[in-house]
Structures are given as C-alpha cells and as structure tokens.
Amino acid sequence: KRDGTRQAFDRNKVINSMVRAFDKRQVDVADLDRITTEIEQSIQNTLEREVTTDRIGEMVLERIRPMDEVAYIRFASVYRRFQDVRSFISEINSFLDKK
C-alpha cells in the first residue's frame, strides 16, 4: 500500500474502485469483473512476489481508458490524488494528447 504496509490482492477493492469511477456511466459489471480478472492474472504471471498499488492503479487506468473518458479521469483523480485544478487540467490535457 502507499503507506508501506503490505496487503493481499483484493479483487473486490479493485472492482469497487472502478464502480465508483463509472458511477452513473454506462458500464457492464461483467466488463469490470473481466478487467479485474485480467489484472489478477497478470500479477500472478509475473515473477514478482509483490506488486505496488501504483502498478495496480496503472493497470486499471490502461484498461478503462478506452472504455469511458469520464470514468478514466475520475479514477485518475483519486488514484493520482490531484491536489488542485491544475493537476486535474494537466491530466485531461495528457489524456487528450494521447487520443
């Protein structure tokens, strides 16, 4: 975790974080379950014993980006802990540059 403690991978936390990002957006929960399964399998396939929450967050962002722009920005705002409007605008500009 970000505070340095270790915790077992919890797929429910990953799914719940995506559900919050997709709040009032059209998304099939089966897609969120599939993404979580992909991330979980990817982690299990690595030779690393531990994976940071930062890496898990990036894996989520990679997968939800093509699904919904608003959900992507919502997830990024929490995951990257935007401190001010400039951070938010910077993320949106980065998103648009990669489009």
Side-chain angles (χ1 to χ4, degrees), residues 32-76:
L32 303 183
D33 187 59
R34 177 187 49 77
I35 288 170
T36 305
T37 299
E38 286 175 8
I39 291 170
E40 189 172 26
Q41 288 174 346
S42 178
I43 291 168
Q44 290 172 350
N45 290 339
T46 68
L47 298 177
E48 298 174 41
R49 213 171 139 208
E50 296 179 0
V51 177
T52 65
T53 55
D54 287 339
R55 180 64 191 126
I56 293 170
E58 289 297 328
M59 294 168 87
V60 171
L61 284 172
E62 290 169 11
R63 287 164 175 83
I64 66 174
R65 187 176 201 283
M67 293 175 65
D68 188 285
E69 296 173 349
V70 172
Y72 173 89
I73 295 298
R74 285 178 178 170
F75 188 90

